[in-house]
Coordinates of all heavy atoms in Angstrom, one line a residue:
M5 N -10.6 -9.5 23.8 CA -9.6 -10.2 23.0 C -8.4 -9.3 22.7 O -8.5 -8.4 22.0 CB -10.3 -10.7 21.7 CG -11.3 -11.8 21.9 SD -10.6 -13.4 22.2 CE -10.3 -13.9 20.5
A6 N -7.4 -9.6 23.4 CA -6.2 -8.7 23.2 C -5.2 -9.4 22.2 O -4.0 -9.1 22.2 CB -5.5 -8.5 24.5
L7 N -5.7 -10.4 21.5 CA -4.8 -11.1 20.5 C -4.4 -10.2 19.4 O -5.3 -9.7 18.7 CB -5.6 -12.3 20.0 CG -4.7 -13.4 19.3 CD1 -3.8 -14.1 20.3 CD2 -5.6 -14.4 18.6
N8 N -3.2 -10.1 19.1 CA -2.7 -9.2 18.0 C -2.5 -10.1 16.8 O -1.5 -10.9 16.7 CB -1.4 -8.5 18.4 CG -1.0 -7.5 17.4 OD1 -1.8 -7.2 16.5 ND2 0.2 -7.0 17.5
T9 N -3.4 -10.0 15.8 CA -3.3 -10.8 14.6 C -2.7 -10.0 13.5 O -2.6 -10.5 12.4 CB -4.7 -11.2 14.2 OG1 -5.6 -10.1 14.1 CG2 -5.3 -12.3 15.1
K10 N -2.3 -8.7 13.7 CA -1.7 -7.9 12.7 C -0.4 -8.5 12.3 O 0.5 -8.7 13.1 CB -1.6 -6.5 13.2 CG -1.7 -5.4 12.1 CD -1.8 -4.1 12.7 CE -1.5 -3.0 11.7 NZ -2.3 -3.0 10.5
K11 N -0.3 -8.7 11.0 CA 0.9 -9.4 10.5 C 1.9 -8.4 9.9 O 3.1 -8.5 10.1 CB 0.6 -10.4 9.4 CG 1.7 -11.3 9.1 CD 1.3 -12.4 8.1 CE 2.5 -13.2 7.7 NZ 2.2 -14.2 6.7
Y12 N 1.4 -7.4 9.3 CA 2.3 -6.4 8.6 C 2.3 -5.1 9.2 O 1.3 -4.7 9.8 CB 1.9 -6.3 7.1 CG 2.2 -7.6 6.4 CD1 1.1 -8.4 5.9 CD2 3.5 -8.0 6.1 CE1 1.4 -9.6 5.2 CE2 3.7 -9.2 5.4 CZ 2.7 -9.9 5.0 OH 2.9 -11.1 4.3
E13 N 3.4 -4.4 9.1 CA 3.6 -3.1 9.6 C 3.7 -2.1 8.5 O 4.4 -2.3 7.5 CB 4.9 -3.1 10.5 CG 5.0 -2.0 11.4 CD 6.3 -2.0 12.2 OE1 6.7 -3.1 12.6 OE2 7.0 -1.0 12.3
F14 N 3.1 -0.9 8.6 CA 3.1 0.1 7.6 C 3.7 1.4 8.1 O 3.6 1.7 9.3 CB 1.7 0.3 6.9 CG 1.1 -0.9 6.3 CD1 0.3 -1.7 7.0 CD2 1.5 -1.3 5.1 CE1 -0.3 -2.8 6.5 CE2 1.0 -2.5 4.5 CZ 0.1 -3.2 5.2
T15 N 4.2 2.2 7.2 CA 4.7 3.5 7.6 C 4.4 4.5 6.6 O 4.2 4.2 5.4 CB 6.2 3.4 7.9 OG1 6.6 4.7 8.4 CG2 7.0 3.1 6.6
N16 N 4.4 5.8 7.0 CA 4.2 6.9 6.0 C 5.5 7.6 5.8 O 6.2 7.9 6.7 CB 3.1 7.8 6.5 CG 1.8 7.2 6.5 OD1 1.3 6.8 5.4 ND2 1.1 7.1 7.6
S17 N 5.7 8.0 4.5 CA 6.9 8.8 4.2 C 6.7 10.2 4.7 O 5.6 10.7 4.8 CB 7.3 8.7 2.8 OG 6.3 9.5 2.0
D18 N 7.8 11.0 4.8 CA 7.7 12.4 5.2 C 7.9 13.3 4.0 O 8.1 14.5 4.2 CB 8.8 12.7 6.2 CG 8.7 11.8 7.4 OD1 7.6 11.5 7.8 OD2 9.8 11.4 8.0
G19 N 7.8 12.8 2.8 CA 8.0 13.6 1.6 C 6.9 14.5 1.3 O 5.9 14.7 2.1
L20 N 7.0 15.2 0.2 CA 5.9 16.2 -0.1 C 4.6 15.5 -0.4 O 3.5 16.0 0.0 CB 6.3 17.0 -1.4 CG 7.4 18.0 -1.2 CD1 7.9 18.6 -2.5 CD2 7.0 19.2 -0.3
T21 N 4.6 14.4 -1.1 CA 3.4 13.6 -1.3 C 3.4 12.5 -0.3 O 4.4 11.6 -0.4 CB 3.4 13.1 -2.8 OG1 4.6 12.5 -3.1 CG2 3.1 14.2 -3.8
P22 N 2.5 12.4 0.6 CA 2.4 11.4 1.5 C 2.3 10.0 0.9 O 1.4 9.8 0.1 CB 1.2 11.7 2.4 CG 0.5 12.8 1.7 CD 1.3 13.3 0.6
R23 N 3.2 9.1 1.2 CA 3.1 7.7 0.6 C 3.2 6.7 1.8 O 3.9 7.0 2.7 CB 4.2 7.5 -0.4 CG 4.0 8.1 -1.7 CD 4.8 7.4 -2.7 NE 4.5 6.1 -3.0 CZ 5.1 5.3 -3.9 NH1 6.1 5.8 -4.6 NH2 4.7 4.1 -4.2
K24 N 2.5 5.6 1.5 CA 2.5 4.6 2.5 C 3.5 3.5 2.1 O 3.5 3.1 0.9 CB 1.1 4.1 2.7 CG 0.8 3.6 4.1 CD -0.6 3.1 4.2 CE -0.9 2.5 5.5 NZ -2.2 1.8 5.5
F25 N 4.2 3.0 3.0 CA 5.1 1.9 2.7 C 4.9 0.7 3.6 O 4.4 0.9 4.7 CB 6.6 2.3 2.9 CG 7.1 3.3 1.9 CD1 7.1 4.7 2.3 CD2 7.6 3.0 0.7 CE1 7.5 5.6 1.4 CE2 8.0 3.9 -0.2 CZ 8.0 5.3 0.2
L26 N 5.1 -0.5 3.1 CA 5.1 -1.7 3.9 C 6.5 -1.9 4.5 O 7.5 -1.7 3.8 CB 4.7 -2.9 3.1 CG 4.9 -4.2 3.7 CD1 3.8 -4.4 4.8 CD2 4.8 -5.3 2.7
V27 N 6.6 -2.1 5.8 CA 7.9 -2.3 6.4 C 8.1 -3.8 6.3 O 7.3 -4.6 6.8 CB 7.9 -1.9 7.8 CG1 9.3 -2.1 8.5 CG2 7.6 -0.4 7.9
C28 N 9.2 -4.2 5.7 CA 9.5 -5.7 5.6 C 9.7 -6.3 6.9 O 10.4 -5.8 7.8 CB 10.8 -5.8 4.8 SG 11.3 -7.6 4.7
P29 N 8.9 -7.4 7.2 CA 9.0 -8.0 8.5 C 10.4 -8.6 8.8 O 10.7 -9.0 9.9 CB 7.9 -9.1 8.4 CG 7.6 -9.3 7.0 CD 8.0 -8.0 6.3
Q30 N 11.2 -8.8 7.8 CA 12.5 -9.4 8.0 C 13.6 -8.4 8.0 O 14.4 -8.3 9.0 CB 12.8 -10.5 6.9 CG 14.0 -11.3 7.2 CD 14.1 -12.5 6.3 OE1 13.4 -13.5 6.6 NE2 14.9 -12.5 5.3
C31 N 13.8 -7.6 7.0 CA 14.9 -6.7 6.9 C 14.6 -5.3 7.2 O 15.5 -4.4 7.2 CB 15.6 -6.8 5.5 SG 14.6 -6.1 4.2
R32 N 13.3 -4.9 7.5 CA 12.8 -3.6 7.9 C 13.0 -2.5 6.8 O 13.0 -1.4 7.1 CB 13.6 -3.1 9.2 CG 13.6 -4.2 10.3 CD 12.3 -4.6 10.8 NE 11.6 -3.4 11.5 CZ 10.3 -3.5 11.9 NH1 9.6 -4.6 11.6 NH2 9.7 -2.4 12.4
E33 N 13.2 -3.0 5.6 CA 13.3 -2.0 4.5 C 11.9 -1.6 4.1 O 10.9 -2.3 4.4 CB 14.0 -2.6 3.2 CG 15.5 -2.8 3.4 CD 16.2 -1.4 3.2 OE1 15.6 -0.4 2.8 OE2 17.4 -1.4 3.4
Y34 N 11.7 -0.4 3.5 CA 10.4 0.1 3.0 C 10.1 -0.5 1.6 O 10.9 -0.3 0.7 CB 10.4 1.6 3.0 CG 10.4 2.2 4.3 CD1 10.5 3.6 4.5 CD2 10.5 1.5 5.5 CE1 10.5 4.2 5.7 CE2 10.6 2.1 6.8 CZ 10.6 3.4 6.9 OH 10.7 4.0 8.1
I35 N 8.9 -1.1 1.5 CA 8.5 -1.7 0.3 C 7.3 -1.0 -0.3 O 6.4 -0.7 0.5 CB 8.2 -3.2 0.5 CG1 9.4 -3.9 1.2 CG2 7.9 -3.9 -0.9 CD1 9.0 -5.3 1.7
T36 N 7.3 -0.7 -1.6 CA 6.2 0.1 -2.2 C 5.2 -0.9 -2.7 O 5.4 -2.1 -2.9 CB 6.7 1.0 -3.3 OG1 7.3 0.1 -4.3 CG2 7.8 1.9 -2.8
Q37 N 4.0 -0.3 -3.1 CA 2.9 -1.1 -3.7 C 3.4 -1.8 -5.0 O 3.1 -2.9 -5.2 CB 1.8 -0.2 -4.0 CG 0.9 0.1 -2.8 CD 1.1 1.6 -2.4 OE1 2.0 2.2 -2.8 NE2 0.2 2.0 -1.6
V38 N 4.2 -1.0 -5.8 CA 4.7 -1.5 -7.0 C 5.5 -2.8 -6.8 O 5.4 -3.7 -7.6 CB 5.4 -0.4 -7.8 CG1 5.9 -0.9 -9.1 CG2 4.6 0.8 -8.0
D39 N 6.4 -2.7 -5.8 CA 7.3 -3.9 -5.5 C 6.4 -5.1 -5.2 O 6.7 -6.2 -5.7 CB 8.2 -3.5 -4.3 CG 9.2 -2.5 -4.7 OD1 9.6 -2.4 -5.8 OD2 9.6 -1.8 -3.8
I40 N 5.4 -4.9 -4.4 CA 4.6 -6.1 -4.1 C 3.9 -6.7 -5.3 O 3.8 -7.9 -5.5 CB 3.6 -5.7 -3.0 CG1 4.3 -5.2 -1.7 CG2 2.7 -6.9 -2.6 CD1 3.4 -4.6 -0.7
E41 N 3.3 -5.7 -6.1 CA 2.6 -6.2 -7.3 C 3.5 -7.0 -8.2 O 3.1 -7.9 -8.9 CB 2.1 -5.0 -8.0 CG 0.7 -4.6 -7.6 CD 0.2 -3.4 -8.3 OE1 0.9 -2.4 -8.3 OE2 -0.9 -3.5 -8.9
N42 N 4.8 -6.5 -8.4 CA 5.7 -7.1 -9.4 C 6.4 -8.3 -8.9 O 6.7 -9.2 -9.6 CB 6.7 -6.0 -9.8 CG 6.1 -4.9 -10.6 OD1 5.0 -5.1 -11.1 ND2 6.8 -3.8 -10.8
F43 N 6.7 -8.4 -7.6 CA 7.6 -9.4 -7.1 C 6.9 -10.3 -6.1 O 7.3 -11.5 -5.9 CB 8.9 -8.9 -6.5 CG 9.6 -7.9 -7.4 CD1 9.7 -6.6 -7.1 CD2 10.2 -8.4 -8.5 CE1 10.3 -5.7 -7.9 CE2 10.9 -7.5 -9.4 CZ 10.9 -6.1 -9.1
S44 N 5.9 -9.8 -5.4 CA 5.3 -10.6 -4.3 C 6.3 -11.1 -3.3 O 6.0 -12.1 -2.6 CB 4.3 -11.6 -4.8 OG 5.0 -12.7 -5.3
S45 N 7.4 -10.5 -3.2 CA 8.4 -10.8 -2.2 C 9.3 -9.6 -2.0 O 9.3 -8.7 -2.8 CB 9.3 -12.0 -2.6 OG 10.0 -11.7 -3.8
C46 N 10.0 -9.5 -0.9 CA 10.8 -8.3 -0.6 C 11.9 -8.2 -1.6 O 12.7 -9.1 -1.8 CB 11.3 -8.4 0.8 SG 12.4 -7.0 1.2
P47 N 12.0 -7.1 -2.3 CA 13.1 -6.9 -3.3 C 14.5 -6.8 -2.6 O 15.5 -6.8 -3.3 CB 12.8 -5.6 -4.0 CG 11.8 -4.9 -3.1 CD 11.1 -5.9 -2.2
F48 N 14.5 -6.6 -1.3 CA 15.8 -6.4 -0.6 C 16.3 -7.7 0.0 O 17.5 -8.0 -0.2 CB 15.6 -5.4 0.5 CG 15.2 -4.0 0.0 CD1 13.8 -3.7 0.1 CD2 16.0 -3.1 -0.5 CE1 13.4 -2.4 -0.4 CE2 15.6 -1.9 -1.0 CZ 14.3 -1.5 -0.9
C49 N 15.5 -8.5 0.6 CA 15.9 -9.7 1.3 C 15.2 -10.9 0.7 O 15.5 -12.0 1.1 CB 15.7 -9.6 2.8 SG 14.0 -9.7 3.3
N50 N 14.3 -10.7 -0.2 CA 13.6 -11.8 -0.9 C 12.7 -12.6 0.0 O 12.3 -13.7 -0.4 CB 14.7 -12.7 -1.5 CG 14.4 -12.9 -3.0 OD1 13.7 -12.1 -3.6 ND2 15.0 -13.9 -3.6
V51 N 12.3 -12.1 1.1 CA 11.4 -12.9 2.0 C 10.0 -12.9 1.3 O 9.6 -11.9 0.7 CB 11.3 -12.3 3.4 CG1 10.6 -10.9 3.4 CG2 10.6 -13.3 4.4
R52 N 9.3 -14.0 1.4 CA 8.0 -14.1 0.7 C 7.0 -13.3 1.5 O 6.8 -13.5 2.7 CB 7.6 -15.5 0.5 CG 6.8 -15.7 -0.7 CD 6.3 -17.1 -1.0 NE 4.9 -17.0 -1.4 CZ 4.6 -16.5 -2.6 NH1 5.5 -15.9 -3.4 NH2 3.3 -16.5 -3.0
L53 N 6.2 -12.5 0.7 CA 5.1 -11.7 1.3 C 3.8 -12.4 1.0 O 3.4 -12.5 -0.2 CB 5.1 -10.3 0.9 CG 6.4 -9.5 1.1 CD1 6.5 -8.3 0.2 CD2 6.6 -9.1 2.5
N54 N 3.1 -12.9 2.0 CA 1.8 -13.5 1.8 C 0.7 -12.5 1.5 O 0.6 -11.5 2.3 CB 1.4 -14.3 3.0 CG 2.3 -15.5 3.2 OD1 2.6 -16.3 2.2 ND2 2.9 -15.7 4.4
R55 N 0.0 -12.6 0.4 CA -1.0 -11.7 0.0 C -2.2 -11.9 0.8 O -3.2 -12.5 0.4 CB -1.3 -11.8 -1.5 CG -0.1 -11.5 -2.4 CD 0.1 -10.0 -2.5 NE -1.0 -9.4 -3.3 CZ -0.9 -8.9 -4.5 NH1 0.3 -9.0 -5.2 NH2 -1.9 -8.4 -5.2
N56 N -2.2 -11.4 2.0 CA -3.5 -11.5 2.9 C -4.3 -10.2 2.6 O -3.9 -9.3 1.8 CB -3.1 -11.6 4.3 CG -2.4 -10.4 4.9 OD1 -2.1 -9.5 4.2 ND2 -2.0 -10.5 6.1
N57 N -5.4 -10.1 3.3 CA -6.3 -8.9 3.0 C -5.6 -7.6 3.3 O -5.8 -6.6 2.6 CB -7.5 -9.1 4.0 CG -8.5 -10.1 3.4 OD1 -8.4 -10.5 2.3 ND2 -9.4 -10.5 4.3
E58 N -4.8 -7.6 4.3 CA -4.1 -6.4 4.7 C -3.2 -5.9 3.6 O -3.1 -4.7 3.3 CB -3.2 -6.7 5.9 CG -3.1 -5.6 6.9 CD -2.2 -6.0 8.1 OE1 -2.0 -7.2 8.3 OE2 -1.7 -5.1 8.8
L59 N -2.5 -6.9 3.0 CA -1.6 -6.5 1.9 C -2.4 -6.1 0.6 O -2.0 -5.3 -0.1 CB -0.7 -7.7 1.6 CG 0.7 -7.4 1.3 CD1 1.4 -6.6 2.3 CD2 1.5 -8.7 1.1
E60 N -3.5 -6.8 0.4 CA -4.3 -6.5 -0.8 C -4.9 -5.0 -0.7 O -4.8 -4.3 -1.6 CB -5.5 -7.4 -0.9 CG -5.2 -8.9 -1.3 CD -4.6 -8.9 -2.7 OE1 -4.9 -8.1 -3.5 OE2 -3.9 -9.9 -3.0
D61 N -5.3 -4.7 0.5 CA -5.8 -3.3 0.8 C -4.7 -2.3 0.5 O -4.9 -1.3 -0.1 CB -6.2 -3.2 2.2 CG -7.6 -3.7 2.5 OD1 -8.2 -4.1 1.5 OD2 -8.0 -3.8 3.6
F62 N -3.5 -2.6 0.9 CA -2.3 -1.7 0.8 C -2.0 -1.6 -0.7 O -1.8 -0.4 -1.2 CB -1.1 -2.3 1.5 CG 0.2 -1.6 1.2 CD1 0.4 -0.3 1.6 CD2 1.2 -2.3 0.6 CE1 1.6 0.4 1.3 CE2 2.4 -1.6 0.3 CZ 2.6 -0.3 0.7
V63 N -2.1 -2.6 -1.5 CA -1.7 -2.6 -2.9 C -2.8 -1.8 -3.7 O -2.5 -1.0 -4.6 CB -1.6 -4.0 -3.5 CG1 -1.5 -4.0 -5.0 CG2 -0.3 -4.6 -2.9
L64 N -4.1 -2.0 -3.3 CA -5.2 -1.4 -4.0 C -5.5 0.1 -3.5 O -6.2 0.8 -4.2 CB -6.5 -2.2 -3.8 CG -6.4 -3.6 -4.5 CD1 -7.7 -4.4 -4.2 CD2 -6.3 -3.4 -6.0
Q65 N -4.9 0.5 -2.5 CA -5.2 1.8 -1.9 C -5.0 3.0 -2.9 O -5.8 3.8 -3.0 CB -4.4 2.0 -0.6 CG -4.9 3.2 0.2 CD -3.9 3.7 1.2 OE1 -2.8 3.2 1.3 NE2 -4.2 4.7 1.9
P66 N -3.8 3.0 -3.6 CA -3.6 4.1 -4.5 C -4.6 4.2 -5.6 O -5.0 5.2 -6.1 CB -2.2 3.9 -5.1 CG -1.6 2.8 -4.3 CD -2.7 2.1 -3.6
L67 N -5.0 3.0 -6.1 CA -6.1 2.9 -7.1 C -7.4 3.5 -6.6 O -8.0 4.3 -7.3 CB -6.3 1.4 -7.5 CG -5.4 0.9 -8.7 CD1 -5.7 -0.6 -8.9 CD2 -5.8 1.6 -10.0
A68 N -7.8 3.1 -5.4 CA -9.0 3.6 -4.9 C -9.0 5.1 -4.7 O -10.0 5.8 -4.9 CB -9.2 2.9 -3.5
E69 N -7.8 5.6 -4.3 CA -7.7 7.0 -4.1 C -7.8 7.8 -5.4 O -8.4 8.8 -5.5 CB -6.3 7.3 -3.4 CG -6.4 7.2 -1.9 CD -5.0 7.3 -1.3 OE1 -4.1 7.7 -2.0 OE2 -4.9 7.0 -0.1
R70 N -7.2 7.2 -6.5 CA -7.3 7.8 -7.8 C -8.8 7.8 -8.3 O -9.2 8.8 -8.9 CB -6.4 7.0 -8.8 CG -5.6 7.9 -9.7 CD -4.6 7.1 -10.5 NE -3.7 6.5 -9.7 CZ -3.1 5.3 -10.0 NH1 -3.4 4.7 -11.1 NH2 -2.2 4.8 -9.2
W71 N -9.5 6.7 -8.1 CA -10.9 6.7 -8.4 C -11.7 7.8 -7.7 O -12.5 8.5 -8.3 CB -11.5 5.3 -8.1 CG -11.0 4.2 -9.1 CD1 -10.6 4.4 -10.4 CD2 -10.9 2.8 -8.8 NE1 -10.3 3.2 -10.9 CE2 -10.5 2.2 -10.0 CE3 -11.2 2.1 -7.6 CZ2 -10.3 0.8 -10.0 CZ3 -11.0 0.7 -7.7 CH2 -10.5 0.1 -8.9
A72 N -11.4 7.9 -6.4 CA -12.1 8.9 -5.6 C -11.8 10.3 -6.1 O -12.7 11.1 -6.2 CB -11.7 8.7 -4.2
E73 N -10.5 10.5 -6.5 CA -10.1 11.8 -7.0 C -10.9 12.1 -8.3 O -11.4 13.2 -8.5 CB -8.6 11.8 -7.3 CG -7.9 12.7 -6.4 CD -6.4 12.5 -6.5 OE1 -5.9 12.7 -7.6 OE2 -5.7 12.1 -5.5
Q74 N -10.9 11.2 -9.2 CA -11.5 11.4 -10.5 C -13.0 11.6 -10.3 O -13.6 12.4 -11.0 CB -11.3 10.1 -11.4 CG -9.9 10.2 -12.1 CD -9.6 8.9 -12.8 OE1 -10.5 8.0 -12.8 NE2 -8.5 8.8 -13.4
Y75 N -13.6 10.8 -9.4 CA -15.0 10.9 -9.2 C -15.4 12.3 -8.6 O -16.3 13.0 -9.1 CB -15.5 9.9 -8.2 CG -16.9 9.9 -7.9 CD1 -17.9 9.5 -8.8 CD2 -17.4 10.4 -6.6 CE1 -19.2 9.6 -8.6 CE2 -18.7 10.4 -6.4 CZ -19.7 10.0 -7.3 OH -21.0 10.1 -7.1
S76 N -14.6 12.8 -7.7 CA -14.9 14.1 -7.0 C -14.6 15.2 -8.0 O -15.3 16.3 -8.0 CB -14.1 14.3 -5.8 OG -12.7 14.3 -6.1
S77 N -13.6 15.1 -8.9 CA -13.3 16.2 -9.9 C -14.4 16.2 -10.9 O -14.8 17.3 -11.4 CB -11.9 16.0 -10.5 OG -11.9 14.8 -11.2
S78 N -14.9 15.1 -11.4 CA -15.9 15.1 -12.4 C -17.2 15.6 -11.8 O -18.1 16.2 -12.4 CB -16.2 13.7 -12.9 OG -16.8 12.9 -12.0
L79 N -17.4 15.4 -10.5 CA -18.6 15.9 -9.8 C -18.5 17.4 -9.7 O -19.5 18.1 -9.9 CB -18.6 15.3 -8.4 CG -20.0 15.1 -7.8 CD1 -20.7 14.0 -8.5 CD2 -19.8 14.7 -6.3
S80 N -17.4 18.0 -9.4 CA -17.2 19.5 -9.2 C -17.4 20.1 -10.6 O -17.9 21.3 -10.7 CB -15.9 19.8 -8.6 OG -14.8 19.4 -9.4
V81 N -17.0 19.5 -11.7 CA -17.1 20.0 -13.0 C -18.6 20.1 -13.3 O -19.1 21.1 -13.9 CB -16.4 19.1 -14.1 CG1 -16.9 19.5 -15.5 CG2 -14.9 19.3 -14.0
R82 N -19.4 19.1 -13.0 CA -20.8 19.1 -13.2 C -21.5 20.1 -12.5 O -22.6 20.6 -12.9 CB -21.3 17.7 -12.9 CG -22.2 17.1 -14.0 CD -22.6 15.7 -13.7 NE -21.5 14.7 -13.9 CZ -21.4 13.5 -13.3 NH1 -22.3 13.2 -12.4 NH2 -20.4 12.7 -13.5
M83 N -21.0 20.5 -11.3 CA -21.7 21.4 -10.4 C -21.5 22.9 -10.9 O -22.2 23.8 -10.5 CB -21.3 21.3 -9.0 CG -21.9 20.1 -8.3 SD -21.8 20.1 -6.5 CE -20.1 19.7 -6.3
R84 N -20.4 23.1 -11.7 CA -20.1 24.4 -12.1 C -21.1 25.1 -13.1 O -21.8 24.3 -13.8 CB -18.7 24.5 -12.8 CG -17.8 25.4 -12.1 CD -16.3 25.1 -12.6 NE -15.5 24.5 -11.5 CZ -14.4 23.8 -11.8 NH1 -14.0 23.7 -13.0 NH2 -13.7 23.3 -10.9
Ligands
LIG15 ZN1 13.0 -7.6 3.3

């Protein structure tokens, strides 16, 4: 099956802290997780972003990473 069902495109910033952005399918601007949470549409061209699984994962990713960080840091404290 070579069918491409991928709807959204993502990119990583080159800054000091690696961040992931959603590339707007219409205007190609970079959209952050916060933008999607607050507006659920592109803040640049106002195109509506459908909250599919791909987008939910993207929005929830920083939260999951923070949980993992807290979990691993509390684990290392306990091991000391
Ligand atoms: Zn846009």
